[in-house]
Amino acid sequence: MSRDSSRPGDVFTHRTPRVVAARRLTTRSGRDDAGRFLAEGAQAVREALRFGRVHELFVTEAAARRHPDLVAGASSVSYIDRRAAELLSETVTPQGIVAVCDTVDVPLASALRGTPRLVAVLAGVSDPGNAGTVLRVADAAGADAVVFAGDTVDVHNGKCVRASTGSLFHLPVARERDLDVVLDSCAAAGLRVVAADGSATHATDDLESTPVLAEPAAWLFGNEAHGLPSAVVARADHVVRVPLYGRAESLNLATAAAVCLYAAAMAARRRIADRG
């Protein structure tokens, strides 16, 4: 593969047209227009190079010395100064390494293709850190896909990308604004719809002696402040909550999603082991 790399002596500044174009990807409209996004930091860049499509790697000389393997693995490398790195970064302390990648979302039908067994649906989730962490948890739990449904944060938001620690490159991610379409598609794919709701009568541990947790399911997680819309909860096959044994008022979204997804994943694995 040919490698187009600016020499360390040819350092781009924040005024260089390619840096200016990349900076537009820090906005949702810029990402939507270009069909590209920024993956910042060594871990995100590493996973982008392994599983994604990287168009260009921007790196400071200091970061290049820290991560020579990433520089060597990129087909197009452009060196940037510290000011350019700051403007391409959405963190307080930029790591000095940013990749321009193709967006990762796929059509809903593609994400649910085949016989999925575990899908996480984020409905109206607004915090990018939570969304990225749920992506990471879903990946770790062996989920088949993650769906961003309704008025939900952009999966390519910089904080979401960083919180996923590369997991957004590992499993299908779909975006669909119509929640009814998502629910209908999950049902058509053979998935039970399980809504996670803090006011539910049944808790996850109430279901451990039933086949519910082990069934192929789409788990719905709602907005951090308002939860799931009542109309969505009404359409669910099951509604469950995470039990609270101590005095905490609640769990944050990502933690609750981790409990639910792992409960489902472990129940499915136990069923397979029992059959074996």
Side-chain angles (χ1 to χ4, degrees):
M1 179 182 296
S2 63
R3 186 165 179 272
D4 171 24
S5 174
S6 64
R7 299 186 305 276
D10 299 331
V11 177
F12 289 173
T13 73
H14 66 285
R15 294 188 177 89
T16 303
R18 277 154 64 177
V19 175
V20 173
R23 192 183 176 195
R24 295 191 188 104
L25 303 181
T26 60
T27 68
R28 186 166 191 165
S29 61
R31 294 190 291 269
D32 289 344
D33 289 343
R36 296 179 181 181
F37 73 106
L38 299 180
E40 180 187 355
Q43 179 60 22
V45 169
R46 182 172 291 107
E47 297 307 295
L49 290 170
R50 290 178 63 190
F51 300 104
R53 181 176 175 183
V54 175
H55 291 272
E56 184 168 15
L57 181 67
F58 290 103
V59 62
T60 63
E61 293 182 53
R65 288 192 295 271
R66 291 194 300 270
H67 307 289
D69 57 322
L70 302 183
V71 174
S75 60
S76 178
V77 180
S78 296
Y79 287 85
I80 55 177
D81 64 16
R82 189 171 68 175
R83 178 59 177 160
E86 290 172 350
L87 292 177
L88 290 178
S89 173
E90 297 180 68
T91 63
V92 175
T93 307
Q95 294 187 40
I97 185 164
V98 181
V100 177
C101 310
D102 278 342
T103 51
V104 301
D105 56 306
V106 299
L108 181 61
S110 296
L112 300 178
R113 182 178 297 144
T115 54
R117 296 198 57 85
L118 182 60
V119 172
V121 178
L122 301 180
V125 172
S126 61
D127 182 83
N130 272 333
T133 302
V134 174
L135 262 171
R136 183 180 183 181
V137 167
D139 180 21
D144 298 290
V146 176
V147 179
F148 283 56
D151 188 16
T152 299
V153 67
D154 180 16
V155 63
H156 303 107
N157 173 284
K159 187 174 181 180
C160 183
V161 173
R162 291 192 302 278
S164 80
T165 62
S167 285
L168 83 165
F169 295 106
H170 298 168
L171 74 174
V173 178
R175 292 193 287 182
E176 172 56 59
R177 293 191 65 84
D178 192 324
L179 266 168
D180 286 326
V181 169
V182 172
L183 297 177
D184 290 342
S185 298
C186 288
L191 297 165
R192 294 282 188 140
V193 174
V194 183
D197 184 82
S199 61
T201 301
H202 297 291
T204 51
D205 52 359
D206 295 332
L207 304 180
E208 289 179 354
S209 60
T210 74
V212 171
L213 285 178
E215 294 175 347
W219 282 78
L220 272 59
F221 306 103
N223 178 269
E224 295 85 348
H226 309 295
L228 290 165
S230 57
V232 172
V233 174
R235 288 198 57 183
D237 297 295
H238 305 285
V239 183
V240 300
R241 59 180 169 82
V242 175
L244 300 175
Y245 304 120
R247 290 180 290 179
E249 186 256 340
S250 64
L251 294 174
N252 83 345
L253 168 68
T255 303
V259 173
C260 294
L261 293 174
Y262 263 91
M266 290 188 291
R269 287 178 176 271
R270 284 195 297 268
R271 173 180 281 188
I272 293 171
D274 291 344
R275 288 176 175 175

